[in-house]
Amino acid sequence: MSHPQGAVAPTYRPLRFGVTRAVIREGAQGALYVSADQALDRYDARMSDRLLHWARTTPDASFMAQRVRDAQGRLGEWRHLNYAQALEAARRIGQALLNRGLSPERPVVVLSENGLDHALLALGCLWAGVPYCPVSPAYSIVSQDFGKLRHVIDTLTPGLIWAEDGARYGKAIAATAPEDAEIVLSRILDAAALQGRASTPLADLLATEPTPAVDAAQAATGADTIVKFLFTSGSTKLPKAVVNTNRMWCANQQQMRQSMPVLRDEKPILVDWLPWNHTFGGNHNVGMVLANGGTLYIDEGKPTPALIGETLRNLREIAPTLYFNVPTGFEAIAQAMKHDALLRQTLLSRVKMFFYAGAALAQPVW
C-alpha cells in the first residue's frame, strides 16, 4: 500500500477472533455437523441476572438511549435510560404483570417498533418470567386485512397487548385484539382510535409498587423459562412461533464472547436500527448490550432513501465500537463517507468491527 510522500502510514491492529478452527463431521443422509474446536465456557442461567449485575455495579451507566420526538414528530436530543432505572422499571412492570396473572398461556404481545418503552416492557416480562412476543410492525401498519397479525394473536392468546401510539396502531388493535386482552398504550389513549375499546396507560404499570413477590418470581425463573416468542417471516406460509428460552439466549451470548473477544476488551456501544422482532436485532444486538454492560443508541433511521439521513445523522454524532447493518445500509454509508468528513471521522474513531447479515455484500462496497 502506498502513501503520499511525507505521510505516516497508519497502524492497523488486527481484530482477534476466539474461534479459529472448526471440526466437520459427516452424518447420515449427507448431513455435515460443524463444531468449534474449543468448549463453550460457563454461561448465565438467565438474562435477568445480567440486568441485576449491571444495575448494582454500574448503576449510572447508560443502557439505552433514544431521541425525543416533539409534537411535530421531529427527533431532538437523546433521552438516556441507565441500568438502575432499567431495573427499577423492570421490577415495577413485572409486578404489574404478576398482578394480572399473565403467563406463557397468556403472554404479552408487543406491536410497536424499537423504543425505550418497548425495552422497559420487555425487561418487565424478563424479570417476572412472563413471555413476550415482539411482532413485526408491518403486520399492523402495512397490512390491510391484518391476516398475519390475527394469526399471531390467535396462536399466542395474549393477556396484554401493547403499542406505543394508539392512533397509529388503533385500527389493527380494534380488528384483532381479543375481548379478554388488556390494551396498554404509551400515548394517545383516545377510545375512538380503538373503536371504543378501553386502554390502560403504560404509566400505570410503571407506577405499580413492587413487592417481594416480583423478586421471588425472578428467582423462580431458570434456564428453561420461556423469555419470548419470535415468529418466522411468513414469506411462504403463515409465520411460525419459535420459543426462545433463557438458556438459548445466554448460551448464544457466551458463544459470541468467545468468538469475538472484542466484547471482553471493552463494553459495546451500538448505534442500531435492526428490528427487535428479528433475532439479529432483538437477541444478538440487544442481548450483546445487556450481557456485556454496554449502551445501545436506538437509531430510528433505516437503509431506505427516505430514512437513511437519520442513520447518517446519528453516526456523525455517536461513535460505535461495533457496527451492525444489512448490506444496503453499508452501501449507503460507504457512498456518504466519500463526501462527508464528519461521518468518516466519527464512525471510524473507535469502531473495532463491522458486521453484516441478511444478504451478500457487494464487492465494491466491501
Side-chain angles (χ1 to χ4, degrees):
M1 181 181 294
S2 62
H3 302 278
Q5 188 168 353
V8 178
T11 300
Y12 296 98
R13 181 172 67 87
L15 179 66
R16 295 183 296 112
F17 283 87
V19 177
T20 57
R21 293 189 306 169
V23 177
I24 300 177
R25 175 174 60 86
E26 292 189 15
Q29 299 180 339
L32 296 177
Y33 297 88
V34 183
S35 59
D37 65 348
Q38 63 175 259
L40 184 64
D41 292 342
R42 180 186 174 277
Y43 54 88
D44 297 301
R46 53 198 174 195
M47 192 63 82
S48 57
D49 288 338
R50 306 309 298 159
L51 174 61
L52 181 61
H53 171 78
W54 297 117
R56 287 175 171 173
T57 58
T58 58
D60 297 326
S62 180
F63 168 49
M64 283 192 185
Q66 183 179 21
R67 291 192 186 274
V68 176
R69 193 178 293 273
D70 66 17
Q72 286 72 45
R74 295 170 299 201
L75 294 169
E77 296 303 311
W78 295 98
R79 172 195 166 200
H80 285 262
L81 175 74
N82 66 34
Y83 277 92
Q85 292 167 333
L87 176 59
E88 174 68 13
R91 293 180 68 242
R92 289 177 174 274
I93 292 176
Q95 182 67 58
L97 300 179
L98 291 181
N99 293 348
R100 288 160 168 78
L102 301 182
S103 67
E105 291 73 32
R106 302 285 288 161
V108 172
V109 162
V110 171
L111 299 184
S112 289
E113 300 92 334
N114 305 358
L116 291 184
D117 283 357
H118 181 155
L120 292 178
L121 186 58
L123 291 176
C125 290
L126 186 66
W127 194 262
V130 175
Y132 71 100
C133 176
V135 179
S136 171
Y139 295 175
S140 300
I141 297 171
V142 178
S143 174
Q144 298 300 311
D145 62 1
F146 308 117
K148 288 184 177 179
L149 177 60
R150 188 174 287 106
H151 166 72
V152 168
I153 289 177
D154 288 347
T155 300
L156 295 179
T157 63
L160 186 151
I161 298 173
W162 171 81
E164 185 161 346
D165 188 327
R168 191 172 189 213
Y169 286 86
K171 185 176 179 181
I173 292 170
T176 61
E179 288 297 323
D180 59 350
E182 182 178 8
I183 309 303
V184 176
L185 303 173
S186 293
R187 63 176 184 269
I188 309 182
L189 280 73
D190 185 356
L194 303 180
Q195 299 182 16
R197 285 289 298 266
S199 62
T200 303
L202 180 65
D204 285 4
L205 276 63
L206 285 164
T208 305
E209 286 297 325
T211 73
V214 73
D215 297 324
Q218 188 268 345
T221 62
D224 294 318
T225 299
I226 299 173
V227 173
K228 66 171 82 171
F229 302 103
L230 289 180
F231 275 78
T232 59
S233 64
S235 54
T236 55
K237 295 183 179 179
L238 285 173
K240 299 177 181 63
V242 179
V243 171
N244 287 232
T245 66
N246 264 316
R247 188 193 309 274
M248 295 162 66
W249 202 6
C250 293
N252 188 224
Q253 289 301 318
Q254 182 59 35
Q255 291 170 329
M256 290 158 57
R257 272 191 292 269
Q258 291 179 232
S259 301
M260 298 180 281
V262 66
L263 291 171
R264 298 198 294 265
D265 294 343
E266 61 183 333
K267 294 176 180 177
I269 298 174
L270 307 187
V271 179
D272 194 59
W273 67 269
L274 289 157
W276 294 347
N277 58 287
H278 290 176
T279 197
F280 189 3
N283 285 350
H284 188 282
N285 293 358
V286 173
M288 174 185 289
V289 169
L290 182 56
N292 297 285
T295 304
L296 191 153
Y297 288 84
I298 297 170
D299 176 15
E300 296 192 53
K302 285 188 175 53
T304 65
L307 296 174
I308 191 63
E310 180 61 23
T311 292
L312 299 177
R313 173 197 182 190
N314 292 332
L315 292 175
R316 291 186 198 103
E317 185 174 327
I318 308 298
T321 60
L322 309 171
Y323 187 67
F324 302 93
N325 211 322
V326 295
T328 54
F330 278 110
E331 182 173 0
I333 292 167
Q335 292 298 321
M337 287 174 70
K338 292 180 179 179
H339 55 78
D340 192 327
L342 180 57
L343 175 64
R344 291 196 303 270
Q345 178 182 344
T346 305
L347 177 57
L348 299 179
S349 63
R350 60 181 177 185
V351 70
K352 304 301 190 302
M353 183 179 74
F354 290 122
F355 184 108
Y356 69 90
L361 189 65
Q363 194 61 39
V365 181
W366 177 280

